Amino acid sequence: MSNIRFKAIFKSSEHKVHPMVESAKRSEAFGVNVFNNDRMMQYLTKDAMESVKNAIQTGSKIDRKMADQIAESMKAWAMSMGATHYTHWFQPLTGATAEKHDAFFDLLPNGKAMEKFGGSQLVQQEPDASSFPSGGIRNTFEARGYTAWDPTSPAFIYGATLCIPTVFVSYTGEALDNKAPLLRALHAVDQAATSVARYFDKNVNKVMATLGWEQEYFLIDKAVANSRPDIVLTGRTLVGHSAAKGQQLDDHYFGVIPLRALNFMKDLEMECTKLGIPVKTRHNEVAPNQFELAPVFEEANLAVDHNLLLMDVMDKVADRHELKVLFHEKPFSGINGSGKHNNWSLATDTGINLLSPGSTPMKNLQFLTFFVNTIKAVDTYEELLRASIASASNDHRLGANEAPPAIFSIFIGKQLSSVLDELEGVSKGKLSPEEKTELKLNVVGKIPEILLDNTDRNRTSPFAFTGNKFEMRGVGSKINCAKPMTVLNTIVARQLIDFKEEVDNLIDKKGLKKDEAIFNILREYIKSSKRIRFEGDGYSEAWHKEAAKRKLSNNKTTPEAVNILTAKSSLDLFRDMQVMSEIEVRARQEVDLENYILQTQIEGRVFNELVNTHIIPAAITYQNSVIENVKGLKEVFGASYKKLAEGQLAILEEISLHLGATKQKSEAMIIARKKANAEKDIHKKAMGYCYDVRPYFDDIRYHCDKLEQLVDDQKWPLAKYRELLFIR
């Protein structure tokens, strides 16, 4: 078995790496494979173009006649680019994307063939897709699923296929995907934020949520990765002792990008450019063989689509370079895991970032309004935000030293903290002329336009203000951004609606001026949401105790975290904001729990395979060779052999101890798994896997890793960390 490991290492050493040449002007290739505004102007009639624009800007429906025109034009463009098929590209509750390809080919009644693609195929498709997780929404007799075109995200050509971004709904109309709830949440925040923004600018007609994700990932040699069954089946190493050198020297972070990785990045970025994904930044991350890329900020729905597409492109490009991308949040023990920081803000159709301070007191009051309301929203619904990033894989990362803790808090920096402290002292009711002057000129008016140097100082904060946006840092590298973005935009929309009602009430019933009313309400929000603000070390034991006093949640595991989804407050929120019905929310909770169970179950099975067919045989083989050595010493030296064989006997004893423990723990895990599987209630089943099965993983790993240190390197069957992390 060890031959596989050494063959993989030998194969990796054969790679001859030559620098790739990058195109000088990436802007010329940007979006060439996208049916974007430029393509539409070229291929669509004026009426069809207007119809698509209205659908994007106002959500109006495109009639069938116009859909036929658009489909014909889209087909003509796609075929001119070499496309032969089309697909509705959607986001089922698996967390990934899905597609079913159909050819443009069709037969006429006379038996002749032609290329055909009409409005009906563009607008709606029936992929069936009955095997996707639905959380019980679909019964067997109505398992049909439908995809419907999302015109706000442009179609694109991937390979030889025209991909049409769509939502995915059930026969009875419930959302079976991550995109539909996101679109509803974005609509809700648009309406709510527009109403509030008009306090400051009557010309605002639309507010767009923006997202900039930062994708972290590991890049390892494909042959070496494929020699590890755990990486192939689970995306992470279930066993493996830390290499002598890890990340302790910080020499990889922002260092010179290894040539092989750089070639991959260049190739990837050219593919992304053609697909309209505005990738801009690339660099080494902290852990060896860990990297990051980040794009220019985009509208949130499009940004989510681009991130999902990017991960698929990364897999395909890596394969060309004989590499493997690992998106698992914690693929290696003892070094940093990978996240996907979600940088979120709100922008108006007049070109203003609502979370960016301005040059005047009025602009700063607008900034503070959206800033404080976001803090208030997070304080009210912090458990929901935690639930939105919960997964079996992300549980390994949250709370580790490289990632934010599971306790949600907000870091805003000393300067803004002092501003909020001053606003907290605003008088209740009408303000005196002196107070108005003091607030506008000396408090609100003196917020600097550039806050980047005064914020973003605390890297342990799960939700930090970073100058002109909020950064949600707990999102895992594998997670579909649609989930946290749906929750964040929904809770902010709810908060802004409440804020406007309270402000209008003070204006209409108390006779306060608009600014006075806003200051009064902001003061109350600053007071009531103070518990969520924290400037210190998020990992410290003192903060954990303090957070408990503040009654902040600390849901460390997915089964704990997703319980909040079906709390009355959550169900009311999603229903009132028309983002998800109770059925849709409950379905997602069930899918999250089922995914947690299945991922843990798979890891448990792989563990047993590794222990029984790789690790124990290798340890016994080496143990037998040591026994033969001891026998030889006895034959040569007789009774005095014991003193000469002290080291060998100690090794035998230690191997036997760890072999016995490994076998005993793995068999106990099987019993725990069977017990958990017998549970009919999905919540109890998930808790069984969480608290009865998963603890064995660390126990088994401990003994396996000890055996790795004892067994002859030539006999150890699994690629070691030094090979996985330092072969470049």
Side-chain angles (χ1 to χ4, degrees):
M1 184 61 70
S2 61
N3 283 338
I4 295 175
R5 172 186 163 207
F6 289 109
K7 283 178 183 177
I9 294 168
F10 178 74
K11 186 176 180 180
S12 70
S13 68
E14 288 186 313
H15 295 303
K16 293 180 180 178
V17 185
H18 304 287
M20 278 188 68
V21 179
E22 283 187 282
S23 172
K25 283 191 177 180
R26 198 171 292 178
S27 59
E28 294 176 358
F30 185 73
V32 295
N33 288 346
V34 182
F35 197 63
N36 55 22
N37 199 57
D38 289 344
R39 305 291 110 68
M40 286 193 289
M41 287 179 68
Q42 184 180 354
Y43 281 86
L44 296 183
T45 64
K46 185 179 179 181
D47 289 344
M49 183 78 178
E50 197 64 30
S51 182
V52 174
K53 279 188 175 181
N54 288 337
I56 294 170
Q57 292 169 4
T58 66
S60 62
K61 289 189 177 181
I62 298 173
D63 64 45
R64 184 51 56 89
K65 183 180 177 182
M66 202 60 69
D68 284 335
Q69 286 186 35
I70 297 165
E72 186 61 38
S73 300
M74 202 180 281
K75 182 195 77 175
W77 168 74
M79 291 184 66
S80 75
M81 298 291 290
T84 58
H85 289 68
Y86 68 92
T87 183
H88 276 202
W89 187 75
F90 59 102
Q91 303 172 27
L93 298 178
T94 57
T97 58
E99 52 200 58
K100 181 189 79 170
H101 296 200
D102 284 305
F104 288 126
F105 173 84
D106 205 355
L107 284 177
L108 297 173
N110 61 7
K112 290 187 177 182
M114 68 173 293
E115 273 65 39
K116 185 179 178 183
F117 179 60
S120 57
Q121 288 88 16
L122 169 63
V123 172
Q124 183 176 303
Q125 201 173 31
E126 185 186 328
D128 178 31
S130 55
S131 294
F132 284 122
S134 68
I137 285 179
R138 295 189 287 175
N139 296 311
T140 305
F141 62 86
E142 55 183 22
R144 208 177 283 168
Y146 297 92
T147 49
W149 178 33
D150 169 22
T152 64
S153 185
F156 57 92
I157 293 171
Y158 192 29
T161 304
L162 172 67
C163 298
I164 303 157
T166 59
V167 296
F168 180 41
V169 297
S170 73
Y171 179 74
T172 47
E174 288 88 5
L176 294 171
D177 68 345
N178 289 303
K179 179 185 270 281
L182 174 64
L183 290 173
R184 295 169 190 164
L186 294 174
H187 176 68
V189 83
D190 170 21
Q191 289 191 314
T194 298
S195 294
V196 173
R198 283 179 176 163
Y199 280 143
F200 309 97
D201 184 355
K202 298 295 184 184
N203 295 314
V204 174
N205 292 309
K206 187 175 180 62
V207 172
M208 175 179 70
T210 62
L211 169 64
W213 37 261
E214 302 166 25
Q215 182 70 59
E216 293 179 337
Y217 61 97
F218 281 85
L219 201 60
I220 57 178
D221 182 85
K222 184 170 74 172
V224 179
N226 287 342
S227 73
R228 297 268 317 212
D230 48 358
I231 291 178
V232 172
L233 295 177
T234 73
R236 76 178 181 109
T237 56
L238 297 179
V239 298
H241 196 278
S242 298
K245 179 189 176 187
Q247 64 187 47
Q248 60 266 52
L249 296 178
D250 292 324
D251 53 340
H252 186 65
Y253 188 52
F254 274 60
V256 176
I257 300 172
L259 182 57
R260 196 171 170 200
L262 186 60
N263 281 348
F264 160 79
M265 292 175 179
K266 290 177 179 179
D267 196 0
L268 170 67
E269 289 174 11
M270 282 311 301
E271 293 294 331
C272 288
T273 299
K274 294 173 188 174
L275 290 165
I277 306 172
V279 172
K280 185 176 177 67
T281 303
R282 64 191 183 204
H283 63 83
N284 291 1
E285 255 302 331
V286 176
N289 273 358
Q290 186 187 34
F291 307 94
E292 180 183 297
L293 61 82
V296 176
F297 282 46
E298 298 181 283
E299 184 274 327
N301 176 48
L302 183 58
V304 168
D305 283 359
H306 278 165
N307 181 249
L308 290 168
L309 178 58
L310 168 95
M311 290 194 284
D312 188 60
V313 176
M314 288 176 77
D315 280 332
K316 288 181 170 60
V317 173
D319 199 55
R320 292 204 291 255
H321 293 260
E322 296 295 320
L323 294 166
K324 185 174 181 63
V325 178
L326 298 185
F327 291 114
H328 194 287
E329 283 81 0
K330 196 74 173 176
F332 301 101
S333 178
I335 59 173
N336 280 15
S338 299
K340 180 152 54 190
H341 295 183
N342 276 206
N343 295 278
W344 171 89
S345 192
L346 296 169
T348 69
D349 57 350
T350 57
I352 300 299
N353 179 350
L354 294 171
L355 287 174
S356 182
S359 55
T360 67
M362 181 57 74
K363 287 180 181 177
N364 281 343
L365 182 55
Q366 175 178 263
F367 156 71
L368 284 170
T369 294
F370 286 93
F371 177 70
V372 172
N373 271 281
T374 301
I375 294 172
K376 174 65 174 170
V378 173
D379 176 62
T380 305
Y381 295 103
E382 44 95 8
E383 275 196 277
L384 264 184
L385 283 175
R386 167 65 181 96
S388 74
I389 58 173
S391 71
S393 54
N394 206 23
D395 281 1
H396 290 290
R397 169 178 166 265
L398 292 177
N401 286 334
E402 84 281 358
I407 304 168
F408 256 78
S409 63
I410 297 178
F411 176 85
I412 63 173
K414 289 183 179 178
Q415 191 163 19
L416 287 175
S417 290
S418 65
V419 171
L420 296 196
D421 289 343
E422 291 207 48
L423 286 174
E424 193 178 342
V426 173
S427 300
K428 190 173 183 179
K430 292 188 177 182
L431 304 177
S432 67
E434 291 78 13
E435 283 181 308
K436 285 184 182 180
T437 301
E438 171 67 19
L439 281 170
K440 288 185 177 180
L441 296 182
N442 298 325
V443 180
V444 176
K446 288 191 175 179
I447 300 174
E449 286 187 76
I450 305 298
L451 279 167
L452 293 174
D453 292 334
N454 301 300
T455 58
D456 200 24
R457 298 286 186 188
N458 189 327
R459 305 308 294 174
T460 68
S461 175
F463 202 87
F465 184 70
T466 55
N468 57 5
K469 61 191 183 297
F470 279 99
E471 184 176 8
M472 191 172 173
R473 293 181 176 141
V475 183
S477 52
K478 235 180 16 173
I479 288 175
N480 183 338
C481 298
K483 292 179 71 177
M485 285 297 102
T486 296
V487 172
L488 180 56
N489 285 288
T490 300
I491 65 176
V492 170
R494 171 75 274 169
Q495 179 53 47
L496 290 171
I497 289 170
D498 292 345
F499 171 76
K500 189 169 189 305
E501 286 178 359
E502 292 184 65
V503 169
D504 288 348
N505 185 57
L506 288 183
I507 293 171
D508 297 337
K509 295 183 179 179
K510 301 290 185 180
L512 269 63
K513 299 290 186 184
K514 180 186 67 180
D515 290 1
E516 289 177 325
I518 290 172
F519 279 130
N520 271 261
I521 301 303
L522 291 183
R523 176 199 60 208
E524 296 306 315
Y525 288 172
I526 291 165
K527 288 179 180 178
S528 62
S529 63
K530 205 166 186 178
R531 66 167 191 158
I532 200 77
R533 286 161 45 200
F534 176 64
E535 305 290 308
D537 180 5
Y539 303 130
S540 69
E541 189 177 331
W543 164 238
H544 283 233
K545 290 179 180 177
E546 174 62 23
K549 287 181 184 177
R550 298 186 188 189
K551 297 185 178 178
L552 291 169
S553 67
N554 186 10
N555 297 321
K556 296 178 181 179
T557 68
T558 293
E560 290 176 297
V562 300
N563 274 337
I564 191 64
L565 290 174
T566 48
K568 185 179 183 303
S569 59
S570 302
L571 295 174
D572 289 348
L573 168 74
F574 290 121
R575 183 199 63 233
D576 293 347
M577 300 309 298
Q578 298 182 340
V579 170
M580 284 187 281
S581 66
E582 181 172 338
I583 291 172
E584 291 171 323
V585 177
R586 290 188 181 279
R588 277 153 181 77
Q589 183 188 63
E590 186 170 326
V591 168
D592 285 346
L593 290 170
E594 188 69 24
N595 284 340
Y596 180 88
I597 291 165
L598 292 174
Q599 286 179 37
T600 310
Q601 186 183 77
I602 290 167
E603 288 193 352
R605 289 174 174 172
V606 174
F607 245 125
N608 285 123
E609 181 186 341
L610 289 175
V611 165
N612 292 320
T613 66
H614 291 70
I615 293 166
I616 288 178
I620 289 174
T621 299
Y622 177 62
Q623 191 179 45
N624 287 338
S625 68
V626 177
I627 289 171
E628 289 302 315
N629 177 263
V630 172
K631 285 180 179 177
L633 289 173
K634 186 176 181 181
E635 286 178 11
V636 173
F637 295 103
S640 63
Y641 86 95
K642 284 188 177 181
K643 186 174 181 181
L644 297 170
E646 278 182 0
Q648 293 92 320
L649 292 170
I651 290 171
L652 286 174
E653 185 177 354
E654 201 171 348
I655 288 175
S656 295
L657 185 149
H658 291 300
L659 272 174
T662 299
K663 186 65 177 171
Q664 184 267 323
K665 297 286 184 184
S666 61
E667 287 177 352
M669 180 183 66
I670 292 173
I671 295 170
R673 255 192 7 242
K674 288 179 178 178
K675 184 180 176 183
N677 288 336
E679 286 286 357
K680 301 299 181 186
D681 182 88
I682 194 167
H683 292 84
K684 290 180 180 178
K685 190 173 183 178
M687 295 298 270
Y689 267 96
C690 181
Y691 293 107
D692 298 330
V693 177
R694 278 176 75 124
Y696 282 111
F697 291 4
D698 288 339
D699 291 343
I700 297 169
R701 180 177 195 136
Y702 170 79
H703 294 289
C704 290
D705 291 354
K706 287 294 183 182
L707 287 170
E708 181 185 325
Q709 288 186 297
L710 292 168
V711 172
D712 179 359
D713 184 64
Q714 295 296 311
K715 291 182 171 61
W716 191 253
L718 302 172
K720 297 188 175 184
Y721 270 27
R722 67 169 182 266
E723 295 145 7
L724 290 163
L725 293 171
F726 292 97
I727 287 179
R728 294 172 181 171

